[in-house]
Amino acid sequence: MRESLRKFLLFVLLHACSIWVLQAQEYKNEFGIQSDNDAYLWYGQDRYYTNGFFISYRHAPDQSKFRTRKLEKVVYSFSIGQQMYTPFSGFVPERELQDRPFAGYLFGRGQVNFLYKNEQVLKVGLSLGTVGPNSFAREAQNLLHNTIGLYSTSGWDDQIGNSPAFNLHSAYAALIYRRSNDSFDLSLESHLDLGTTFTGMGAGLLFRIGDINQFFHSAYHQARVGHNGNIKAATEREFYFYAKPQLHYVAYDATIQGSFFVDNSPVTFAVRPLVFEQKIGVNYSSRRFSLDYSLTFRSKELQSPARQHQFGTISSSYRF
């Protein structure tokens, strides 16, 4: 009887310790910064989607309140961002030479990420903001250029006019294949956007190679946060390279076509409905920090003399 009691108490102690160790490795909150810029290609390009800046906060509530046989984790995400677009240069005062409209987009977004045990991911979100002078893109680009000693801009008087921005976002991902030693995987990626700024959809494939985690623990899906998690991460530190070829169908883009409501933009163009995008990058994530660098290459986006475009993205996050 005593021996059985000792074994039972030992089992309870070991189980409690394992839970404590698992929970001690979790951080419920994450603060992130992302910067997009074509200067990150390091050869002096400054055109089209020329700059983007985003600040985000993510929180993982107590997973035991959401956990089902299928669902592993829920993550709430809140972000603010600004994007700016120019023709082939930020200095094009002649309206007839502008091969893409000057445009700015300022928004706030709330999103919920559902991460499933079978490594499917569903993300749904809502963005509210503005396109046009109220986005302060002109002021932001002038401030940036003055700060780092670049040329003066000209042409923003012809930018896309003010328009309210309301957008619904959804994305879905599903694991197709993973090597048994967790060094390579292949997954489906898709998205759908509906709203007054961007409307369209896309689908592609994601390839990752290196030290990778399950989707519900991976930095790629902003899932390094957790609270009372059930399944242990495959690796404490992620370090992997990734590639994502994707085809987009573009139904509407207010930064190219102007306001969804009124014709208040002096320079607009029609969009090209099919746009191919290739993204390649590298990610490193420890328990507290993540750092990501990627390059995005896009085919022509509008029906004008504008060419295909490329830009880089640098993002980092801190968990607490």
Side-chain angles (χ1 to χ4, degrees):
M1 183 67 178
R2 291 181 179 179
E3 183 65 23
S4 298
L5 181 60
R6 279 197 295 267
K7 290 182 179 180
F8 175 75
L9 293 175
L10 180 60
F11 170 79
V12 172
L13 179 62
L14 291 175
H15 182 65
C17 288
S18 66
I19 293 177
W20 180 84
V21 170
L22 181 62
Q23 292 181 354
Q25 296 175 345
E26 294 181 320
Y27 296 102
K28 297 184 292 184
N29 305 288
E30 182 177 74
F31 175 79
I33 296 176
Q34 176 180 318
S35 174
D36 299 339
N37 200 295
D38 44 8
Y40 298 152
L41 280 84
W42 316 113
Y43 61 83
Q45 177 181 291
D46 190 21
R47 63 174 185 250
Y48 307 147
Y49 177 41
T50 187
N51 190 72
F53 186 74
F54 315 88
I55 299 174
S56 60
Y57 167 75
R58 302 180 187 95
H59 173 73
D62 188 344
Q63 306 303 311
S64 64
K65 296 180 180 179
F66 298 92
R67 191 177 300 133
T68 67
R69 287 184 297 175
K70 296 182 178 181
L71 186 63
E72 171 60 21
K73 185 184 291 185
V74 174
V75 177
Y76 299 130
S77 175
F78 307 93
S79 60
I80 57 174
Q82 184 193 60
Q83 296 174 296
M84 62 182 70
Y85 303 83
T86 69
F88 61 88
S89 169
F91 185 88
V92 191
E94 302 88 353
R95 182 179 298 179
E96 63 275 11
L97 297 181
Q98 296 172 11
D99 57 353
R100 193 201 197 284
F102 285 86
Y105 175 40
L106 180 68
F107 65 92
R109 176 185 294 185
Q111 182 170 291
V112 184
N113 301 343
F114 301 93
L115 301 112
Y116 295 87
K117 290 183 172 70
N118 63 358
E119 300 201 59
Q120 295 184 57
V121 179
L122 176 63
K123 303 176 183 179
V124 291
L126 169 66
S127 295
L128 300 174
T130 182
V131 174
N134 288 342
S135 70
F136 301 105
R138 176 182 194 165
E139 291 79 2
Q141 187 176 47
N142 286 334
L143 176 62
L144 177 64
H145 280 214
N146 292 337
T147 300
I148 61 180
L150 292 179
Y151 63 87
S152 299
T153 66
S154 181
W156 279 99
D157 289 340
D158 299 321
Q159 69 176 296
I160 294 293
N162 282 319
S163 177
F166 175 91
N167 289 271
L168 297 172
H169 312 275
S170 65
Y172 172 77
L175 180 68
I176 298 174
Y177 167 79
R178 176 172 297 132
R179 190 174 293 172
S180 59
N181 62 356
D182 295 320
S183 62
F184 170 81
D185 63 16
L186 168 66
S187 59
L188 169 71
E189 296 267 316
S190 63
H191 71 89
L192 173 65
D193 300 305
L194 297 171
T196 64
T197 307
F198 303 111
T199 294
M201 63 182 68
L205 296 172
L206 171 67
F207 302 84
R208 299 190 303 169
I209 184 168
D211 297 323
I212 54 179
N213 261 327
Q214 310 98 311
F215 287 165
F216 46 76
H217 285 310
S218 180
Y220 186 85
H221 287 290
Q222 299 88 43
R224 296 285 299 193
V225 290
H227 182 199
N228 287 331
N230 188 42
I231 302 176
K232 186 178 180 181
T235 178
E236 185 175 293
R237 289 179 173 83
E238 290 186 286
F239 181 63
Y240 59 85
F241 296 88
Y242 60 92
K244 186 173 74 170
Q246 193 168 32
L247 184 64
H248 301 275
Y249 170 72
V250 181
Y252 190 81
D253 186 336
T255 70
I256 296 173
Q257 297 171 277
S259 171
F260 187 83
F261 303 100
V262 294
D263 183 13
N264 62 349
S265 303
V267 178
T268 60
F269 295 95
V271 298
R272 294 174 66 94
L274 292 179
V275 176
F276 177 75
E277 177 180 290
Q278 172 66 63
K279 186 174 184 177
I280 57 174
V282 58
N283 181 281
Y284 172 78
S285 295
S286 63
R287 286 177 57 196
R288 280 192 179 270
F289 296 96
S290 288
L291 182 63
D292 190 281
Y293 174 68
S294 65
L295 300 175
T296 300
F297 304 87
R298 287 180 183 165
S299 63
K300 290 187 62 171
E301 297 180 85
L302 61 162
Q303 298 181 29
S304 81
R307 295 172 288 170
Q308 67 275 10
H309 183 50
Q310 312 85 34
F311 63 91
T313 298
I314 299 174
S315 61
S316 62
S317 57
Y318 172 76
R319 287 170 285 279
F320 57 97

